[in-house]
Amino acid sequence: MFERFTQDAREVVKSAYAHVDGGGEGGQCVEPEHLLLALLDREGSRGSFALAALGLGERRESVREALREARRRAGLTQAETDALAGLGIDVEEIVARVEETHGVGALAGDRKDKRWWSGRTSFGRGAKDVLERSLRVALAQRDRHIGDEHILLALTLRPGVPAEVLADHGVTYASLVRVLYGSGGEAKAG
């Protein structure tokens, strides 16, 4: 599949690794959030053009902050947090108590003691799913290669924090398709 990736898409994957290894985002696997952070760093690509056209260019830091906040909540989406609140579970209170005892970011999954970890960054299940969906998105759009725009489209299709954060900032699958393909590209790849 990677042979179909454009240079822009390959750069997104490499940059996602950098966000895991040294970007301060933590973790030991590339996850969908890392792919989104890598896309936010891009300039001069179809994906970055689409984000700018949808007004996200000036609000990149807001997206980064929303991703950091979700990571602090152990990766729970706001919808999941709200659902738990409906059951009487205050996620913010739980996070505060855990951080009081174990330090800020304790629920983020960043282990300081990595003896059990091999030291090699890999792709998490979610990131693999996004990359597989990017292939399906490219095929649905009748594109011959997988570009960074297909990774971006795939992120909006996969339920989770990146899709929720993007939607909260006005970036959805439908809005991206309109920007990237005009009115004729309404096919949906799941």
Side-chain angles (χ1 to χ4, degrees):
M1 176 171 81
F2 284 109
E3 65 276 0
R4 291 182 145 191
F5 275 49
T6 64
Q7 187 60 37
D8 285 326
R10 290 171 195 239
E11 289 297 322
V12 167
V13 172
K14 283 173 40 179
S15 183
Y17 271 109
H19 278 284
V20 174
D21 290 339
E25 305 306 327
Q28 291 129 10
C29 293
V30 173
E31 294 296 346
E33 292 82 358
H34 299 116
L35 292 169
L36 178 53
L37 288 166
L39 283 161
L40 291 173
D41 293 342
R42 302 286 305 149
E43 291 182 11
S45 67
R46 288 196 73 202
S48 64
F49 162 77
L51 289 173
L54 292 170
L56 202 64
E58 311 81 47
R59 298 180 304 160
R60 288 179 181 174
E61 192 51 42
S62 173
V63 172
R64 286 184 179 96
E65 179 56 35
L67 291 172
R68 277 191 291 274
E69 197 53 39
R71 185 167 184 75
R72 197 176 143 258
R73 291 189 314 261
L76 292 175
T77 65
Q78 190 59 51
E80 291 165 333
T81 301
D82 294 344
L84 288 168
L87 297 172
I89 300 169
D90 184 352
V91 172
E92 288 301 320
E93 176 64 25
I94 293 169
V95 169
R97 284 186 175 184
V98 169
E99 288 183 342
E100 185 179 299
T101 303
H102 300 285
V104 175
L107 291 175
D110 306 335
R111 290 189 46 137
K112 303 298 181 216
D113 175 18
K114 296 182 181 178
R115 284 178 284 170
W116 59 273
W117 180 51
S118 71
R120 187 170 166 215
T121 303
S122 62
F123 273 90
R125 186 176 309 154
K128 288 178 185 176
D129 182 51
V130 169
L131 296 178
E132 289 169 5
R133 284 176 191 243
S134 68
L135 171 63
R136 290 196 295 274
V137 166
L139 292 173
Q141 297 298 338
R142 294 185 165 89
D143 291 333
R144 299 180 78 176
H145 298 286
I146 301 167
D148 68 335
E149 71 274 18
H150 300 111
I151 297 171
L152 181 58
L153 285 162
L155 281 168
T156 64
L157 288 172
R158 185 179 186 279
V161 170
E164 181 180 75
V165 168
L166 285 169
D168 288 347
H169 287 81
V171 179
T172 63
Y173 182 85
S175 66
L176 283 168
V177 168
R178 275 193 306 280
V179 167
L180 291 165
Y181 298 98
S183 60
E186 293 298 324
K188 184 166 182 170

